[in-house]
């Protein structure tokens, strides 16, 4: 049984919980509680789980006894577990009311081909579940999930290195950091090329994140653990004072949430130079301030960050271009995120050694205009990024022959009121009025043509009249 088949089997179990009124997102959370126990048994790491609260203890129970034991297990592990166990189960509570439904899920999980799952990797299995969850519109989880192909492109271009501190300040289920970890592993023979201390650093310090939503934070912890990552994943709001200590990073990879701050949310950071209620502008400020000198970032942001003239937008863009070299902006296609119609971009930049004049020019690549329609049934693929990656990594960017690739100097950007809403090519699907003939000129031309036709008719009539007289 392949990982994909196991993911499908696990996902189909969600129908069992519909009658309990459990949402897709709650279902994945419930699976996380149960899968953790099963995977600990399969990987022989149950020592981290207190005795009497392990997989075999759970599966031998039935009916009401099972339901009560499961509730007690969640509470006990959340209070008395250690390390990641306690973090994953902290505040855990079940939404399953019907004991038969709980029992069916446990039995179904126990009967799966776990040998095959372990061979292919439990981490890949869990990520498959998270992707399924994000793909369901009803789950509302798409906001926590960036398409894998886009994550991989950003990681390949940023090239995380051993010994670097990497961070995602809005980490969702930890996808960016897991991809960065895989990249480093693939370039170091799964860390075997590193010293023991360097390998330990990779496992425990190299990759970190912060997530605001408790259930999503729990999924991130599980995802990280299944990929052998023990770095800190903070439960909190990066845009509150919690985020003030998050700095000194070599690399930031992230897709922060979009929107504006609403009443009743956590207190705003007190260290932002340009306070605003716009979350994406605040995340942008946090990210470039969190980089060490020479640190770099790739960040997904919506179009309004490029042109918004309110919310301190122009000042923040200027501050970014002063403190960092904003060298590349990728204009992404629409339809690649689960929220349809959202227009987004990836901003690539690196922190300068000074705080002024670091951006001399910005290169743009338009992957949006005249592109196919992307969606769930026609997803964006690796090959769609091939030309962009070639242009991005070209030794001489000016030698690249690609109409989608353009550059604007800092002076040209300043002349456009520091707007970065640039680099889009001509859209062939949009009627350009400049292409239409001038109505006045067209009218005059028509009149002239009519006059010529009238003159021609007159001459024909005269010819006919003369022929008629001749015959008479």
């Amino acid at each position: 049984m392949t990982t994909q088949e196991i993911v499908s089997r696990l996902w189909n179990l969600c129908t069992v919980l519909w009658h309990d009124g459990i949402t897709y997102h709650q279902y994945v959370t419930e699976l996380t509680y149960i899968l953790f126990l099963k995977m600990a048994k399969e990987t022989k790491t149950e020592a981290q789980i207190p005795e009497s609260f392990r997989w075999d203890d759970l599966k031998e129970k039935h009916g009401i006894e099972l339901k009560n034991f499961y509730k007690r297990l969640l509470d006990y592990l959340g209070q008395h577990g250690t390390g990641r166990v306690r973090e994953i189960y902290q505040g855990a509570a079940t939404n399953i009311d019907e004991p038969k439904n709980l029992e069916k899920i446990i039995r179904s999980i126990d009967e799966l081909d776990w040998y095959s799952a372990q061979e292919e990797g439990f981490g890949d299995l869990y990520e498959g579940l998270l992707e399924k969850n994000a793909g369901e519109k009803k789950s509302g989880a798409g906001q926590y999930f960036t398409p894998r192909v886009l994550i991989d492109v950003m990681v390949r271009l940023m090239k995380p290195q051993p010994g670097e501190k990497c961070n995602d300040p809005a980490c969702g289920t930890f996808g960016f950091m897991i991809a960065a970890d895989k990249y480093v592993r693939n370039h170091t023979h799964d860390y075997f090329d590193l010293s023991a201390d360097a390998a330990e650093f990779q496992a425990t310090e190299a990759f970190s994140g912060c997530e605001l939503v408790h259930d999503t934070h729990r999924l991130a912890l599980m995802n990280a653990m299944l990929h052998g990552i023990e770095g800190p994943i903070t439960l909190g709001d990066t845009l509150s004072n919690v985020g003030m200590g998050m700095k000194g990073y070599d690399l930031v990879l992230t897709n922060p949430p979009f929107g504006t701050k609403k009443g009743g949310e956590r207190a705003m950071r007190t260290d932002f130079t340009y306070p605003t209620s716009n979350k994406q502008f605040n995340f942008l400020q946090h990210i470039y301030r969190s980089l060490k000198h020479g640190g770099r970032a790739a960040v997904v942001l919506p179009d309004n960050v490029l042109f918004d003239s309110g919310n301190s937008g122009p000042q923040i863009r200027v501050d970014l271009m002063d403190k960092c070299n904003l060298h590349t902006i990728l204009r992404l296609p629409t339809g690649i995120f689960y929220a349809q119609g959202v227009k987004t971009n990836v901003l690539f930049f690196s922190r300068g050694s000074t705080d002024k004049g670091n951006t001399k020019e910005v290169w743009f690549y338009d992957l949006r205009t005249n592109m196919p329609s992307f969606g769930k049934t026609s997803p964006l693929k690796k090959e769609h990024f091939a030309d962009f990656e070639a242009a991005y990594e070209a030794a001489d960017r000016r030698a690249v022959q690609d109409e989608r690739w353009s550059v604007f100097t800092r002076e040209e950007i300043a002349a456009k009121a520091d707007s970065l809403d640039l680099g889009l090519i001509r859209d062939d699907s949009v009627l350009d009025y400049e292409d239409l003939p001038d109505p006045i000129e067209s009218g005059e031309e028509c009149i002239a043509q009519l006059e010529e036709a009238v003159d021609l008719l007159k001459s024909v009539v005269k010819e006919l009249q003369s022929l008629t007289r001749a015959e008479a």
Side-chain angles (χ1 to χ4, degrees):
M1 183 179 288
T2 66
T3 293
Q4 188 174 0
E5 289 171 335
I6 294 175
V7 167
S8 294
R9 288 274 297 275
L10 287 172
W11 191 250
N12 288 338
L13 285 173
C14 69
T15 56
V16 173
L17 302 182
W18 282 353
H19 296 299
D20 271 352
I22 292 176
T23 66
Y24 288 107
H25 198 60
Q26 288 171 330
Y27 171 65
V28 174
T29 302
E30 294 281 359
L31 271 186
T32 298
Y33 302 151
I34 300 171
L35 282 174
F36 182 91
L37 299 174
K38 178 61 174 173
M39 290 176 177
K41 178 178 174 61
E42 295 298 325
T43 56
K44 297 179 172 55
T45 56
E46 285 187 299
Q48 61 185 319
I49 301 172
E51 290 186 15
S52 301
F53 292 95
R54 297 175 180 175
W55 177 255
D56 287 340
D57 302 301
L58 180 67
K59 75 171 188 175
E60 70 180 13
K61 305 289 192 299
H62 303 277
I64 294 297
E65 181 189 11
L66 170 63
K67 178 181 174 180
N68 292 336
F69 175 77
Y70 181 55
K71 287 183 175 180
R72 193 163 70 252
L73 178 149
L74 296 180
D75 183 63
Y76 188 88
L77 295 183
Q79 292 191 48
H80 303 290
T82 57
R84 278 285 197 254
V85 175
R86 183 173 183 175
E87 285 187 282
I88 289 172
Y89 287 95
Q90 197 163 42
T94 182
N95 292 287
I96 303 175
D97 287 329
E98 176 52 59
K100 288 183 179 179
N101 289 343
L102 177 59
E103 190 168 338
K104 183 171 183 178
I105 291 170
I106 293 170
R107 299 291 170 265
S108 298
I109 289 174
D110 198 48
E111 292 167 1
L112 290 172
D113 181 4
W114 289 101
Y115 178 79
S116 296
Q118 189 166 358
E119 285 293 299
E120 294 197 35
F122 286 140
D124 289 343
L125 186 156
Y126 194 69
E127 279 193 272
L129 278 173
L130 297 178
E131 188 165 8
K132 279 273 192 185
N133 188 37
E136 289 290 344
K137 293 181 179 180
K138 293 179 181 179
S139 79
Q143 62 180 309
Y144 308 119
F145 198 90
T146 306
R148 173 61 51 197
V149 62
L150 178 58
I151 289 177
D152 289 342
V153 167
M154 292 165 65
V155 170
R156 280 199 302 274
L157 295 178
M158 289 293 96
K159 298 177 173 57
Q161 299 297 308
E164 290 188 328
K165 294 183 68 174
C166 306
N167 180 260
D168 183 345
C171 69
T173 55
F174 215 56
F176 275 107
M177 294 298 97
I178 286 167
D181 172 66
K182 284 182 179 177
Y183 181 93
V184 180
R185 285 181 183 275
N186 289 339
H187 288 78
T188 59
H189 296 92
D190 204 21
Y191 295 157
F192 283 115
D193 294 347
L194 306 180
S195 67
D197 287 345
E200 176 72 12
F201 172 84
Q202 291 304 126
T204 60
E205 297 182 55
F207 305 103
S208 61
C210 184
E211 173 53 42
L212 171 63
V213 180
H214 199 160
D215 277 348
T216 307
H217 176 254
R218 199 189 316 278
L219 303 183
L221 291 169
M222 180 75 161
N223 208 8
M225 186 201 72
L226 292 174
H227 286 89
I229 301 174
E230 302 172 27
I233 305 176
T234 304
L235 174 61
D237 184 359
T238 297
L239 300 184
S240 72
N241 289 337
V242 169
M244 291 175 65
M246 297 166 56
K247 55 189 176 182
Y249 299 116
D250 296 282
L251 176 60
V252 172
L253 293 156
T254 189
N255 176 11
F258 307 159
T260 57
K261 180 179 171 63
K262 300 179 178 64
E265 293 189 8
R266 289 164 179 76
M268 187 64 67
R269 289 260 293 264
T270 58
D271 62 332
F272 284 150
T273 306
Y274 304 101
T276 169
S277 61
N278 184 293
K279 288 183 179 179
Q280 47 266 37
F281 275 127
N282 283 326
F283 267 108
L284 181 57
Q285 286 187 88
H286 164 79
I287 292 161
Y288 66 74
R289 292 164 61 98
S290 74
L291 295 172
K292 61 167 43 172
H293 292 308
R296 58 208 188 282
V299 186
V300 180
L301 290 167
D303 269 19
N304 73 298
V305 168
L306 304 184
F307 61 77
D308 195 327
S309 59
N311 296 297
S312 301
Q315 297 97 315
I316 293 170
R317 288 192 292 271
V318 169
D319 196 39
L320 167 65
M321 289 186 282
D322 274 342
K323 289 183 169 64
C324 301
N325 177 17
L326 174 63
H327 51 81
T328 312
I329 295 178
L330 171 62
R331 309 301 300 262
L332 289 170
T334 56
I336 65 171
F337 289 95
Y338 295 105
Q340 293 297 315
V342 175
K343 294 182 178 180
T344 55
N345 315 270
V346 184
L347 276 61
F348 298 87
F349 52 88
S350 56
R351 185 72 188 256
S353 56
T354 64
D355 285 348
K356 286 292 181 182
N358 280 288
T359 299
K360 307 300 182 186
E361 60 186 19
V362 182
W363 286 87
F364 293 80
Y365 195 91
D366 180 6
L367 200 62
R368 180 182 304 170
T369 312
N370 303 330
M371 291 293 288
S373 178
F374 295 107
K376 191 173 180 179
T377 57
S378 55
L380 194 64
K381 298 178 180 178
K382 179 181 178 180
E383 49 265 33
H384 290 120
F385 289 94
D387 290 340
F388 165 64
E389 291 189 67
Y392 183 99
E393 300 200 285
D396 181 3
R397 289 186 162 193
R398 295 183 185 279
V400 174
Q401 298 296 310
D402 189 332
E403 68 165 346
R404 297 182 180 277
W405 188 234
S406 58
V407 63
F408 292 83
T409 65
R410 183 67 187 87
E411 290 73 25
E412 289 173 320
I413 294 168
K416 296 179 182 296
D418 294 304
S419 170
L420 292 167
D421 190 19
L422 304 166
L424 295 176
I425 64 175
R426 179 189 181 92
D427 190 340
D428 293 339
S429 68
V430 177
L431 182 65
D432 192 336
Y433 288 104
E434 292 179 1
D435 292 340
L436 294 175
D438 182 273
I440 296 176
E441 291 180 0
S442 298
E444 291 174 348
E445 185 176 347
C446 286
I447 291 171
Q449 290 175 348
L450 285 172
E451 289 175 344
E452 289 179 8
V454 168
D455 291 340
L456 180 60
L457 285 171
K458 285 179 178 179
S459 63
V460 170
V461 169
K462 286 181 179 179
E463 185 68 24
L464 288 172
Q465 287 174 340
S466 63
L467 287 172
T468 301
R469 282 195 297 269
E471 289 176 359

